[in-house]
């Protein structure tokens, strides 16, 4: 039985993770943290977990050692706390963006701030089993993919890997749901702003571009990707449509086969 704790369990991603872990036969969830709801039962934020757990939130400084620690904090916070957190667990999985890119210049360009622990960037394994299954088996630290990135990479990888498309002209159109923005409402994510409308969220410059290019380029071909993201009236989920130019001679059948 693995003992697992979650930092940031009152949020949307942390809550979904908790739901999955509570149903896992080889996991015991030991502790869950929140900054604002210390002492409250987790079911206050996640009523779907009633009768499944009586866990209450603790503060991060009360975390005890465990086998595996998940971090589910807004981007930019993992790197602030990482030094304390890596001492708490044999293995650590970060759901945020702080350790997803291997290249420091890329990270600082896309996230527009200095990275606080550049020495750790190459230590994290990108948490997409379809591409990194063997490394993940023994990885100590894992950085899970962003949501648009995971969908984009999974849809494009077979095509890029088999050389079926031009890797320099990939266009990704992502339809986003409101829960992707997390529990804290902003003007762009608030129900009143989003309901009954389709709204261009980010026509260009989406940060997940960097990780999609990083991972697709593992095929040995440098990839250039443009992502445009549109907010649609949906609470959960995400739909990615990737547009590519087929390489000369490639037929529909070749694409389906891949
Ligand atoms: N939402 C998604 O669909 C999704 C999908 C894939 C990956 N992710 C990634 O998952 C991570 C969490 O996203 P989310 O959507 O779950 O966000 P969220 O709903 O806003 O939750 C954020 C969590 O972090 C805690 N927190 C916020 N500021 C903090 C601080 N200064 N110190 C300590 N704890 C703090 C919050 O606790 P309190 O508010 O209770 O204090 C809450 O538990 C992000 O990195 C995001 O990129 C999210």
């Amino acid at each position: 039985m693995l003992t697992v704790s979650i930092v940031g369990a009152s949020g949307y991603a942390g809550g979904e993770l908790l739901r999955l872990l509570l149903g896992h036969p080889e996991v015991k969830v030991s502790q869950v943290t929140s900054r604002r709801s210390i002492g409250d039962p987790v079911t206050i934020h996640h009523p779907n977990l009633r009768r499944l757990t009586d866990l209450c939130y603790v503060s991060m400084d009360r975390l005890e050692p465990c086998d595996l620690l998940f971090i589910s904090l807004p981007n930019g916070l993992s790197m602030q706390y990482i030094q304390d957190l890596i001492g708490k667990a044999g293995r650590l999985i970060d759901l945020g963006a702080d350790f997803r890119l291997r290249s420091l210049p890329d990270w600082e360009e896309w996230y527009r701030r200095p990275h606080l622990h550049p020495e750790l960037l190459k230590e994290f394994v990108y948490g997409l089993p379809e591409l990194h299954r063997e490394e993940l088996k023994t990885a100590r630290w894992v950085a899970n993919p962003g949501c648009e990135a995971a969908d984009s990479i999974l849809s494009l990888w077979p095509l890029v890997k088999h050389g079926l498309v031009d890797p320099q002209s990939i266009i990704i159109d992502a339809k986003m749901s409101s829960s992707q923005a997390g529990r804290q409402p902003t003007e762009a994510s608030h129900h009143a702003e989003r309901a009954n409308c389709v709204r261009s969220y980010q026509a260009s410059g989406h940060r997940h571009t960097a990780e999609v290019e990083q991972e697709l380029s593992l095929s040995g071909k440098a990839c250039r990707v443009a992502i445009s993201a549109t907010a649609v009236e949906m609470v959960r989920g995400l739909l990615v449509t990737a547009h590519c130019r087929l390489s000369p001679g490639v037929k529909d059948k070749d694409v389906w086969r891949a």
Side-chain angles (χ1 to χ4, degrees), residues 142 146 188 200 214:
V142 172
S200 188
Q214 168 183 282

Side-chain angles (χ1 to χ4, degrees), residues 100 126 145-156 172-177 180-181 201-202 206-209 211-212 227-231 237-240:
R100 287 181 196 150
Y126 194 74
C147 24
E148 277 84 3
D151 288 23
S152 303
I153 297 164
L154 289 176
S155 60
L156 287 160
I172 293 163
D173 167 33
K175 310 280 192 314
M176 300 172 59
S177 60
Q180 286 184 256
Y201 172 76
Q202 199 161 22
H206 194 295
R207 287 165 165 180
H208 291 181
T209 306
E211 49 188 291
V212 176
I227 302 181
S228 64
T230 304
L238 161 69
L239 178 78
V240 155

Side-chain angles (χ1 to χ4, degrees), residues 7-15 33-38 45-46 57 60 71-78 80-81 94-98 100 144-148 177-184 208 237:
V7 175
S10 58
Y12 285 165
T33 82
S34 157
R35 180 192 37 161
R36 293 181 295 176
S37 304
I38 296 160
H45 292 117
H46 309 301
Y57 296 114
M60 228 191 288
I71 308 178
S72 184
L73 297 174
N75 293 334
L77 290 179
S78 298
Q80 276 182 36
Y81 298 120
D94 185 13
L95 304 192
D98 292 6
R100 287 181 196 150
N144 269 14
C147 24
E148 277 84 3
S177 60
S178 55
S179 65
Q180 286 184 256
R183 183 182 288 281
Q184 195 67 42
H208 291 181

Side-chain angles (χ1 to χ4, degrees), residues 29-183:
V29 182
S30 312
Q31 289 182 300
V32 289
T33 82
S34 157
R35 180 192 37 161
R36 293 181 295 176
S37 304
I38 296 160
D40 288 344
V42 293
T43 50
I44 202 165
H45 292 117
H46 309 301
N48 56 321
L49 302 181
R50 276 187 200 134
R51 289 185 288 279
L52 294 179
T53 180
D54 53 9
L55 279 167
C56 292
Y57 296 114
V58 298
S59 68
M60 228 191 288
D61 52 19
R62 288 294 177 91
L63 275 177
E64 288 159 12
C66 59
D67 296 319
L68 170 62
L69 184 66
F70 283 91
I71 308 178
S72 184
L73 297 174
N75 293 334
L77 290 179
S78 298
M79 62 179 178
Q80 276 182 36
Y81 298 120
I82 195 74
Q83 211 120 58
D84 289 338
L85 295 178
I86 52 182
K88 298 283 181 195
R91 293 185 183 206
L92 184 147
I93 300 178
D94 185 13
L95 304 192
D98 292 6
F99 298 99
R100 287 181 196 150
L101 299 184
R102 281 166 194 264
S103 150
L104 176 64
D106 283 354
W107 196 93
E108 295 191 336
E109 181 188 331
W110 285 94
Y111 290 91
R112 292 187 190 158
R113 64 184 101 165
H115 200 289
L116 301 179
H117 285 285
E119 77 284 1
L120 294 180
L121 283 176
K122 287 200 166 64
E123 305 294 325
F124 275 73
V125 175
Y126 194 74
L128 199 60
E130 287 78 1
L131 270 69
H132 297 282
R133 193 172 301 277
E134 289 309 311
E135 288 163 90
L136 286 168
K137 282 180 187 168
T138 52
R140 204 174 152 212
W141 301 327
V142 172
N144 269 14
C147 24
E148 277 84 3
D151 288 23
S152 303
I153 297 164
L154 289 176
S155 60
L156 287 160
W157 177 251
L159 305 178
V160 172
K161 186 173 119 190
H162 293 291
L164 301 180
V165 294
D166 174 1
Q168 288 290 312
S169 61
I170 297 171
I171 297 174
I172 293 163
D173 167 33
K175 310 280 192 314
M176 300 172 59
S177 60
S178 55
S179 65
Q180 286 184 256
R183 183 182 288 281

